[in-house]
């Protein structure tokens, strides 16, 4: 993360405590190269600079020289005006210490399971591997929002902790697309996204249905339980794979009333083999149109989802398969999307916050 300190911060130091506070702030930024310090003005005429050690002066001079020759953007600003600002990432000297000492919180619906997806992206797209350096230092943490509906409550509780100042949120939010077909209108995130924009919190909503849809096919182990499903899945087009309900199949896209109606009809006819025909006729028209060319046999294999015990725990772990999950294999998963750079964008957003 690029941290800009304005000249007035150095000019405003009047006593020993304020000098110690400034030095502490600088050392937070410099410690183990945690952040990048930007100085867009010459601060060496400031009294407090003259009283610093030669090492600190040398580091400040290096930061100044690098800032003026580079074209980098500040991710947060330390300024005297920070005390009057609630939303933008502009902080006073005291506020900046509180903000920068926080680890980056990556907020997902399930921190234990969804972390595998993020780690796979960073492992495959971040050539510097700085993400894992920061994670090993405890400067990155995955936060469990407790389901998509609770992300907003989670963030509001944190804002309250920071005296109702959203600028202290040091977060990245990742949410599923949840679309069942390309034109599916999903509104459950509208209020959350409205507030994330208002609070200047970086977020990403996945283009595919959910994280599981980004897993390369060859990372899914083939066995007696999964073979037929995988073979059917391989015959789908890339767009069809983007929106398939991997865990619960087409059956999972029905509501309770539709499921009950199919079960009653099968029982009445005493023919369970008619279930998939009834299912195909009952799913949403747009889902039916998306998978119109899927054979009845393959539709049947996909109908109830892949048979993996403890799916929500086990399936995300397949992202750790470095033999089959790497930059090229992940890029092949997104190359056809409206944004083929989606995973690269996620990586860049996260790196800008650490």
């Amino acid at each position: 993360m690029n941290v800009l300190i304005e000249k007035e911060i150095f000019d405003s130091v009047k006593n020993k405590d304020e000098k110690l506070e400034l030095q502490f702030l600088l050392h937070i930024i410099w410690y183990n190269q945690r952040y990048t310090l930007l100085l867009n003005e010459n601060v060496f005429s400031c009294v407090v600079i003259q009283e610093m050690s030669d090492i600190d002066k040398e580091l400040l001079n290096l930061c100044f020289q690098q800032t003026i020759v580079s074209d980098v953007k500040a991710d947060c600003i330390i300024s005297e005006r920070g005390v009057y600002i609630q939303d933008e990432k502009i902080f006073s000297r005291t506020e900046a210490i509180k903000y920068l000492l926080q680890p980056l919180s990556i907020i997902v619906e399930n921190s234990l399971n969804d972390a595998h997806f993020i780690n796979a992206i960073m492992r495959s797209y971040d050539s510097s591997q700085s993400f894992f350096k920061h994670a090993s230092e405890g400067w990155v943490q995955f936060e469990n929002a407790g389901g998509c509906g609770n992300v907003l409550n989670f963030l509001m509780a944190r804002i309250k902790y920071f005296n109702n100042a959203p600028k202290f949120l040091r977060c990245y939010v990742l949410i599923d697309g949840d679309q069942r077909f390309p034109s599916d209108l999903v509104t459950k995130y509208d209020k959350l996204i409205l507030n994330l924009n208002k609070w200047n919190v970086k977020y990403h909503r996945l283009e595919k249905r959910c994280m599981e849809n980004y897993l390369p096919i060859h990372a899914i182990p083939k066995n007696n339980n999964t073979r037929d499903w995988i073979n059917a899945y391989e015959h789908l087009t890339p767009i069809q794979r983007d929106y398939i309900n991997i865990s619960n199949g087409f059956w999972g896209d029905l509501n309770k009333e539709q499921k009950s109606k199919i079960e009653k009809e099968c029982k009445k006819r005493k023919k369970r083999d008619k279930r998939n025909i009834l299912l195909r006729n009952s799913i949403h028209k747009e889902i039916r149109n998306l998978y119109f060319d899927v054979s009845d046999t393959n539709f049947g294999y996909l109908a109830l989802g892949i048979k993996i015990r403890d799916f929500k725990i086990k399936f995300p772990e397949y992202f750790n398969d470095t033999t089959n999950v790497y930059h090229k294999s992940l890029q092949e998963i997104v190359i056809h999307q409206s944004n083929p750079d989606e995973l690269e964008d996620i990586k860049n957003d996260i790196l800008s916050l650490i």
Side-chain angles (χ1 to χ4, degrees):
M1 183 164 65
N2 298 320
V3 182
L4 172 66
I5 302 182
E6 294 184 348
K7 185 174 183 291
E8 61 188 25
I9 288 292
F10 296 91
D11 283 327
S12 65
V13 174
K14 303 300 183 185
N15 55 52
K16 181 180 178 181
D17 287 341
E18 291 178 351
K19 178 183 176 182
L20 288 172
E21 186 178 58
L22 176 61
Q23 289 179 317
F24 182 47
L25 173 60
L26 290 172
H27 291 168
I28 291 171
I29 295 171
W30 287 331
Y31 176 71
N32 214 1
Q33 299 179 320
R34 182 173 184 179
Y35 302 112
T36 298
L37 175 62
L38 305 181
L39 296 171
N40 58 6
E41 295 181 79
N42 190 324
V43 298
F44 299 98
S45 62
C46 301
V47 175
V48 69
I49 301 294
Q50 304 306 315
E51 298 174 351
M52 287 185 178
S53 68
D54 290 341
I55 293 177
D56 285 352
K57 290 177 184 177
E58 184 179 345
L59 285 170
L60 286 168
N61 183 55
L62 181 62
C63 292
F64 176 61
Q65 295 300 326
Q66 290 177 337
T67 303
I68 60 177
V69 299
S70 62
D71 185 27
V72 294
K73 178 183 176 183
D75 297 302
C76 75
I77 299 172
I78 303 173
S79 169
E80 287 292 291
R81 58 198 168 97
V83 293
Y84 306 108
I85 295 172
Q86 294 290 304
D87 296 326
E88 295 180 77
K89 302 298 184 185
I90 302 176
F91 305 90
S92 69
R93 188 169 54 241
T94 303
E95 290 175 335
I97 291 173
K98 185 186 300 184
Y99 178 70
L100 295 175
L101 279 175
Q102 294 182 78
L104 168 65
S105 292
I106 299 180
I107 300 174
V108 289
E109 294 180 20
N110 186 304
S111 60
L112 181 63
N113 301 329
D114 297 345
H116 299 297
F117 175 60
I118 298 291
N119 286 332
I121 293 174
M122 304 310 292
R123 183 185 69 240
S124 304
Y125 285 81
D126 176 19
S127 59
S128 71
Q129 295 297 289
S130 59
F131 173 82
F132 294 104
K133 173 191 171 183
H134 281 69
S136 67
E137 293 283 357
W139 299 336
V140 177
Q141 63 184 10
F142 289 95
E143 300 272 18
N144 191 348
C148 63
N150 201 48
V151 175
L152 185 58
N153 291 335
F154 180 93
L155 292 171
M156 291 179 71
R158 182 155 300 184
I159 290 173
K160 186 176 181 181
Y161 173 80
F162 286 114
N163 297 317
N164 298 315
K167 69 180 181 179
F168 283 102
L169 289 175
R170 189 147 180 258
C171 305
Y172 180 75
V173 178
L174 186 68
I175 52 181
D176 288 334
D178 283 328
Q179 291 175 289
R180 299 165 297 167
F181 46 86
S183 61
D184 196 10
L185 183 62
V186 179
T187 61
K188 66 179 181 179
Y189 296 114
D190 288 358
K191 186 176 180 180
L192 171 64
I193 290 173
L194 182 67
N195 280 284
L196 291 175
N197 289 324
K198 175 184 174 183
W199 298 332
N200 294 301
V201 172
K202 286 189 177 182
Y203 69 93
H204 182 81
R205 183 174 175 184
L206 294 175
E207 189 166 324
K208 299 183 191 297
R209 181 165 183 157
C210 62
M211 296 179 191
E212 288 90 341
N213 297 77
Y214 291 80
L215 184 71
I217 296 173
H218 296 300
I220 308 172
K222 266 190 180 182
N223 54 48
N224 291 336
N225 289 326
T226 64
R227 184 173 289 106
D228 290 338
W229 185 93
I230 292 174
N231 289 338
Y233 185 69
E234 286 178 323
H235 280 84
L236 298 178
T237 67
I239 295 293
Q240 289 171 336
R241 291 181 201 141
D242 286 348
Y243 299 99
I244 191 79
N245 186 333
I246 293 177
S247 61
N248 297 308
F250 298 111
W251 184 255
D253 289 330
L254 300 180
N255 58 40
K256 289 182 179 179
E257 183 179 343
Q258 290 172 318
K259 290 176 182 178
S260 177
K261 185 177 180 180
I262 290 175
E263 294 289 3
K264 288 179 181 178
E265 188 68 20
C266 287
K267 186 176 181 180
K268 184 173 67 175
R269 297 185 184 187
K270 297 181 181 181
K271 291 184 179 181
R272 301 294 296 179
D273 58 341
K274 296 293 183 181
R275 179 172 176 167
N276 289 333
I277 297 174
L278 293 169
L279 171 57
R280 194 160 199 165
N281 291 332
S282 300
I283 55 178
H284 192 287
K285 178 182 177 181
E286 294 295 337
I287 301 177
R288 192 162 61 248
N289 290 341
L290 179 60
Y291 299 94
F292 80 98
D293 59 349
V294 175
S295 68
D296 290 339
T297 299
N298 282 344
F299 186 91
Y301 291 141
L302 297 168
L304 300 179
I306 192 168
K307 296 177 181 178
I308 294 177
R309 196 173 191 178
D310 297 322
F311 175 88
K312 282 296 183 182
I313 296 174
K314 192 65 180 177
F315 197 87
E317 292 177 353
Y318 298 151
F319 279 106
N320 300 328
D321 176 5
T322 56
T323 300
N324 293 297
V325 182
Y326 50 93
H327 183 274
K328 184 179 179 181
S329 67
L330 287 171
Q331 197 57 34
E332 289 173 350
I333 293 289
V334 297
I335 195 66
H336 65 280
Q337 295 182 175
S338 60
N339 177 18
D341 297 320
E342 181 183 24
L343 302 183
E344 183 80 23
D345 291 343
I346 292 173
K347 179 265 294 185
N348 289 335
D349 282 344
I350 291 175
L351 288 184
S352 73
L353 293 170
I354 63 174

